[in-house]
Amino acid sequence: NNGDIHSGHGDLDGLIAKIGKANMIEGQVFVDKNNNGLKDTDDPSFSNGTVEIGNPDFISAAALKDGRFTITTDTGRIIVRLITADSGYYSIVPKTDTVHFSNYPQRDSVNFRFVEKGPINDLRIDLLPLSTPRPGFNSDYLLKYENKGTTNINNVKVQFVADNKTQ
């Protein structure tokens, strides 16, 4: 075995890790509103995803926090990519990137940007119960809305109108 842990053995489980020098990949993810390839002050950070790195021997991932990530790795050729479900209205640039580390400790940066595929209006509205709804009793709900599209939607007015037949 090459050191992988394949199964647990109850109270006798253990993990041995090597602590020492490592290479670091850091970067940021943002919506490039004017498609200039740079993070400008009005370009929002994007944090709904993870950055995955790997090669044929390993895969590792780091969560995005405020649109930034930092992940440590070994030497060699490392492929970096962004994993997210929110790319339907945007192209991710670059789709993947590759960094090469020949020894320790080295640093490199990889930035991912979202570029609009086109102007898309998409206002998401959710009506969420704050408790378990029961017939014959009043219920409280939370009404949430979010602009999921690529265009700015200003002066949004959301109004809930109850159906008289269900009251």
Side-chain angles (χ1 to χ4, degrees), residues 23-130:
N23 295 311
M24 184 179 298
I25 303 170
E26 55 192 1
Q28 58 185 345
V29 182
F30 61 95
V31 179
D32 192 357
K33 288 179 147 185
N34 60 2
N35 197 15
N36 67 351
L38 304 171
K39 181 159 184 352
D40 300 314
T41 56
D42 64 332
D43 289 340
S45 296
F46 182 86
S47 294
N48 191 16
T50 58
V51 173
E52 181 182 89
I53 66 169
N55 64 27
D57 296 326
F58 82 96
I59 294 176
S60 184
L64 295 169
K65 181 171 174 153
D66 299 324
R68 297 188 169 279
F69 69 93
T70 302
I71 191 165
T72 57
T73 187
D74 204 351
T75 57
R77 179 179 176 264
I78 310 295
I79 297 171
V80 185
R81 69 183 183 132
L82 176 67
I83 309 293
T84 182
D86 288 344
S87 62
Y89 300 154
Y90 297 90
S91 298
I92 300 172
V93 179
K95 290 187 185 297
T96 63
D97 203 347
T98 304
V99 298
H100 300 272
F101 294 121
S102 57
N103 54 28
Y104 301 103
Q106 294 181 322
R107 296 186 112 155
D108 205 343
S109 63
V110 175
N111 296 322
F112 293 97
R113 57 192 182 98
F114 281 71
V115 178
E116 289 182 14
K117 290 181 179 177
I120 299 168
N121 293 323
D122 184 0
L123 183 66
R124 176 181 174 167
I125 300 175
D126 294 314
L127 183 63
L128 306 168
L130 297 177

Side-chain angles (χ1 to χ4, degrees), residues 131-141 166-167:
S131 60
T132 304
R134 298 185 310 165
F137 293 89
N138 290 332
S139 296
D140 291 322
Y141 292 86
T166 61
Q167 293 185 3

